Amino acid sequence: MSYQVLARKWRPRSFREMVGQTHVLRALINALDNQRLHHAYLFTGTRGVGKTTIARILAKCLNCETGVSSTPCGQCSVCREIDEGRFVDLIEVDAASRTKVEDTRELLDNVQYAPSRGRYKVYLIDEVHMLSTHSFNALLKTLEEPPPHVKFLLATTDPQKLPVTILSRCLQFSLKNMPPERVVEHLTHVLSAEQIPFEDDALWLLGRAADGSMRDAMSLTDQAIAFGEGQVLAADVRAMLGTLDHGQVYGVLQTLISGDASGLLEAIRQLAEQGPDWSGVLAELLNVLHRVAIAQVVPEAVDNGQGDRERVLSLARALPAEDVQFYYQMGLIGRRDLPLAPDPRSGFEMVMLRMLAFRPAEVAQVPQTPLQLGTTASVSEVPAAQAPAVMAVSAMADVPPVAPAAAMIDVRAPVALPPVTASTEAIAATDMPLPAVEVHPAADVAPPPATPEPEAEPRSAMLPADSAQRETSAVSAPQSANLPVHADEPVASPTPSAPLSPANAADESLPWDDDPEPAYAPLPGDTASAAPSDDEGQGDEEPFDDDLAAYAYLESYEPVENAAPVASEGSVATPAPELPVLPPATGLAAEWLEIYPRLGLSGMTASIAANCTLVAAQGAHWTLHLDPAQSALFNAAQQRRLSDALSAHLGQTVQLDIQIITPTQETPAQAAARARAERQQAAVAAIHADPQVQQMMTLFGATVRDDSIEPIER
């Protein structure tokens, strides 16, 4: 007897023997048991997942001599003939070879005749998508209303090519791909029944190579049995498929993790001796990294399909998660660019060397960049009196945020640094490293006035060297003009210039500012200050180098109650915003302030109401005075809407009389503006009163830009 391949020998002959596709089997079994049979079924899916097999089993269920059921006997003549492929009433048509409309018409001419032996005449049309358009049109009418003794079973791997008219006439079942786990389970059963020795690793290689097709897995198993002389061994299967040994992949990965460049190139040289597909090597490496990433998140989800579960878990414990993601992304990009390399091996080597060169640094803690002393000076060149202060800058630590405002501070002039005790606290966090400050020693430098110690716990006045991890609430980058410093001239006491306002910010020419426009919005009440004139010593001066500017951003300040702005040396306070001149509302005007937010108004109607004040309320007749500046928005429609909203709020009809007269007390809009101005004043006062800010202004000659302070809305 001739040898029968495993794919045909182990083809399922009943629904119980089917592997997978439970969603399809459930529907068919219930339909057969309940006698709810459709006249046309369409089975779709990739090759080797059971489309034709299910169609043949369904034909057996329909024609079994024991009756229509989901469990054919398998012993009667009909069942045996169907299994052997010679049942006269099961007409199997290969649509790929019979695409012409004449072939379809010849097929349909016999539909009207009753079956010869069976209960139903079953037409099994395989690869039905290969039929021509005319063939589909010829099939439509018969497929929609066939004789009661005819069943159509269609199978295709490409349902997108079927006309929608065909799809609408069939019950469609989509068969799923076979996962490697299910393939390995079935191969284990088959090889055990065939009494063929095998290794689990070999079955996993076959399961992955089958790519979702059970028939392909069975065919590859036949090939592996022949290759291994009656055995299915992992080494033989790997050699047969041309796949890479996972041990070599782990060798490459281990040298990469250890940072051994020479070992990495040696591992690649050993790989090259086997003449591998370098794109496939990268794919295997990405597969290992993918499993490592899964092991870091859900360790129990890692399978032992290749006998390397312990090695994967070991790598997951040894590799940081960011390294795994970095290597995976670099491998993906390298695999995409591999065809562009001069040759595949050099492209693979460059990908590995790139992973090695740009891997994330392994440090115990985030390094801090010390404050540099210019491009030519080092810490050792700084005078002894200034060294403690310089060293203290690089030894700072972060401190909790202090107050509800954000301030921007810039150094206007360099000063000699007096001895300062290093502290472990810092006053603020910056989003950028501080620029280097060049210090020129001078013999006749006058020390700045001593800063009084605050009553609270003292804080250091040093700027932190690096705290890029803290977010800031600064609203804009500083824009300032700096004073020159010459090495041959003594450095005098700091003479800070006036802070920039929105008016003169655009006039300043800054070396680092490409946009002359101010990067902030003027606050209410700000007054434009005139640009400094040449008489004030500003016109003929050269701009500072970038190294003479230092920035610090203060965030999350709490307002200091009853605190007044402190005008200390090195700081020129911006005039406070002008408050509304009208007196606070009392009487009916105060009641209107409480009623207005509850009316639920919006748009122009809300603007009209916000600029009114209540002057009389006699029963259902109310009189409002509207600010003449808002009279352009006022009309009868706005008065009607406001009257309706007020009536709905009070629960009674109100007749409004809105007169365009300047209010004598605060309107809701003016009260809101006054509250905003008071919050702004409190925030400015909090910044100026903070002892750390005062020490920075004293030690570094810094100024506070009041226009950069924004109160935090609670």
Side-chain angles (χ1 to χ4, degrees):
M1 182 178 179
S2 62
Y3 174 74
Q4 190 175 21
V5 297
L6 295 178
R8 295 183 60 186
K9 181 178 180 181
W10 287 90
R11 183 191 291 271
R13 290 174 170 81
S14 66
F15 289 140
R16 295 189 306 271
E17 298 178 5
M18 284 292 299
V19 178
Q21 315 302 348
T22 55
H23 63 294
V24 176
L25 300 181
R26 180 180 177 182
L28 294 178
I29 290 173
N30 292 337
L32 289 167
D33 292 341
N34 297 321
Q35 301 297 315
R36 300 182 64 87
L37 299 175
H38 201 269
H39 58 268
Y41 294 88
L42 173 63
F43 302 103
T44 65
T46 188
R47 77 274 180 266
V49 293
K51 301 184 298 296
T52 306
T53 299
I54 292 179
R56 289 179 179 176
I57 296 174
L58 182 57
K60 191 187 302 183
C61 293
L62 293 173
N63 290 288
C64 181
E65 293 179 358
T66 60
V68 177
S69 68
S70 61
T71 55
C73 67
Q75 304 297 327
C76 64
S77 60
V78 173
C79 292
R80 290 198 306 268
E81 290 176 5
I82 291 178
D83 290 337
E84 295 171 2
R86 55 185 182 86
F87 185 59
V88 66
D89 290 326
L90 175 59
I91 300 99
E92 295 193 22
V93 179
D94 180 17
S97 60
R98 303 186 65 178
T99 61
K100 296 181 180 180
V101 64
E102 292 81 3
D103 299 328
T104 305
R105 289 172 180 170
E106 180 183 353
L107 185 71
L108 297 178
D109 287 341
N110 297 321
V111 169
Q112 55 185 329
Y113 300 113
S116 300
R117 290 191 54 203
R119 191 177 294 107
Y120 293 97
K121 181 180 288 188
V122 180
Y123 288 88
L124 174 53
I125 305 177
D126 203 1
E127 300 300 333
V128 68
H129 67 275
M130 300 294 291
L131 292 178
S132 64
T133 304
H134 295 293
S135 297
F136 281 126
N137 293 335
L139 188 62
L140 284 180
K141 188 60 179 177
T142 304
L143 189 63
E144 182 178 6
E145 297 178 356
H149 59 269
V150 173
K151 300 293 182 186
F152 285 96
L153 305 181
L154 312 180
T156 178
T157 57
D158 197 356
Q160 288 80 11
K161 292 183 178 179
L162 294 181
V164 67
T165 51
I166 296 292
L167 295 175
S168 66
R169 287 166 167 81
C170 301
L171 290 185
Q172 182 175 351
F173 296 95
S174 298
L175 279 68
K176 301 178 181 178
N177 287 4
M178 296 291 179
E181 294 81 4
R182 193 173 297 277
V183 173
V184 170
E185 179 183 352
H186 185 60
L187 291 181
T188 302
H189 169 70
V190 171
L191 294 178
S192 298
E194 294 286 334
Q195 297 181 356
I196 297 176
F198 63 91
E199 292 180 352
D200 290 339
D201 293 354
L203 299 189
W204 279 98
L205 290 173
L206 294 173
R208 286 187 168 85
D211 194 20
S213 171
M214 185 64 74
R215 183 176 59 228
D216 288 3
M218 300 293 284
S219 301
L220 290 173
T221 303
D222 257 328
Q223 184 180 355
I225 293 172
F227 188 90
E229 298 180 355
Q231 296 180 342
V232 181
L233 304 179
D236 294 339
V237 172
R238 190 175 290 111
M240 180 191 74
L241 297 176
T243 56
L244 190 66
D245 184 3
H246 262 62
Q248 293 179 308
V249 173
Y250 282 103
V252 173
L253 192 57
Q254 193 61 44
T255 57
L256 178 64
I257 296 171
S258 61
D260 184 6
S262 60
L264 179 62
L265 294 178
E266 176 62 22
I268 295 176
R269 186 191 65 78
Q270 295 178 4
L271 276 174
E273 293 178 355
Q274 303 179 10
D277 175 17
W278 294 103
S279 178
V281 176
L282 269 178
E284 290 293 335
L285 185 64
L286 292 174
N287 181 39
V288 172
L289 292 172
H290 168 250
R291 299 178 67 201
V292 170
I294 292 178
Q296 291 178 338
V297 180
V298 187
E300 59 273 12
V302 180
D303 60 65
N304 195 29
Q306 299 171 356
D308 58 351
R309 186 174 189 274
E310 293 302 324
R311 302 182 73 171
V312 170
L313 295 177
S314 177
L315 283 177
R317 289 188 294 266
L319 266 177
E322 57 270 19
D323 285 15
V324 176
Q325 298 297 328
F326 170 75
Y327 291 149
Y328 190 86
Q329 187 64 26
M330 292 291 285
L332 284 179
I333 297 175
R335 194 179 182 198
R336 181 197 65 188
D337 297 341
L338 200 60
L340 303 179
D343 61 89
R345 175 179 174 177
S346 63
F348 180 82
E349 288 179 347
M350 281 302 299
V351 173
M352 295 296 104
L353 293 176
R354 199 177 301 157
M355 291 182 182
L356 186 64
F358 296 101
R359 61 182 297 182
E362 298 178 358
V363 292
Q365 57 184 357
V366 180
Q368 293 184 348
T369 304
L371 181 65
Q372 301 293 330
L373 298 178
T375 57
T376 58
S378 62
V379 176
S380 60
E381 298 172 358
V382 181
Q386 301 175 3
V390 175
M391 298 303 297
V393 174
S394 62
M396 290 296 125
D398 292 335
V399 296
V402 186
M408 182 180 297
I409 300 175
D410 61 283
V411 176
R412 292 308 185 104
V415 295
L417 302 177
V420 181
T421 303
S423 171
T424 61
E425 298 181 9
I427 57 168
T430 62
D431 268 347
M432 63 190 76
L434 294 178
V437 178
E438 186 175 357
V439 178
H440 302 276
D444 54 348
V445 175
T451 303
E453 290 290 332
E455 295 181 2
E457 180 180 355
R459 299 189 179 101
S460 170
M462 294 294 99
L463 290 174
D466 182 15
S467 54
Q469 297 178 359
R470 297 273 307 275
E471 294 182 0
T472 69
S473 54
V475 295
S476 63
Q479 297 178 346
S480 60
N482 297 312
L483 302 178
V485 173
H486 304 282
D488 55 349
E489 297 180 2
V491 181
S493 302
T495 308
S497 60
L500 296 180
S501 65
N504 62 15
D507 298 332
E508 295 291 341
S509 177
L510 304 181
W512 57 82
D513 188 8
D514 296 333
D515 187 3
E517 295 298 328
Y520 54 88
L523 298 173
D526 281 353
T527 56
S529 58
S533 62
D534 293 346
D535 297 337
E536 297 175 350
Q538 302 289 339
D540 299 331
E541 293 175 347
E542 300 175 357
F544 258 102
D545 189 78
D546 289 353
D547 290 343
L548 296 178
Y551 310 108
Y553 299 86
L554 303 182
E555 64 175 358
S556 303
Y557 269 79
E558 297 292 341
V560 179
E561 297 183 1
N562 301 327
V566 178
S568 60
E569 185 174 357
S571 171
V572 178
T574 301
E578 296 181 0
L579 298 178
V581 296
L582 293 180
T586 59
L588 292 176
E591 294 182 9
W592 181 249
L593 294 182
E594 298 179 0
I595 293 175
Y596 165 73
R598 304 173 184 174
L599 298 180
L601 300 173
S602 62
M604 289 190 295
T605 307
S607 178
I608 293 294
N611 288 275
C612 289
T613 184
L614 182 61
V615 296
Q618 299 178 355
H621 185 78
W622 289 35
T623 302
L624 299 177
H625 283 179
L626 173 62
D627 189 349
Q630 306 295 325
S631 60
L633 304 176
F634 179 67
N635 53 38
Q638 302 299 337
Q639 181 173 354
R640 183 179 65 257
R641 293 173 185 171
L642 181 55
S643 177
D644 294 343
L646 187 59
S647 300
H649 172 69
L650 298 177
Q652 61 179 3
T653 303
V654 176
Q655 296 181 356
L656 274 183
D657 181 16
I658 301 178
Q659 303 175 1
I660 302 177
I661 300 175
T662 302
T664 58
Q665 298 188 57
E666 275 187 342
T667 63
Q670 293 169 335
R674 177 174 57 81
R676 287 194 301 270
E678 290 175 351
R679 288 197 302 271
Q680 180 67 27
Q681 286 182 342
V684 172
I687 295 296
H688 282 279
D690 190 273
Q692 300 171 7
V693 177
Q694 296 179 20
Q695 290 184 23
M696 278 193 291
M697 292 191 296
T698 302
L699 293 176
F700 297 101
T703 58
V704 178
R705 289 182 50 174
D706 293 347
D707 58 322
S708 69
I709 301 174
E710 287 187 0
I712 295 177
E713 300 293 341
R714 297 294 184 184

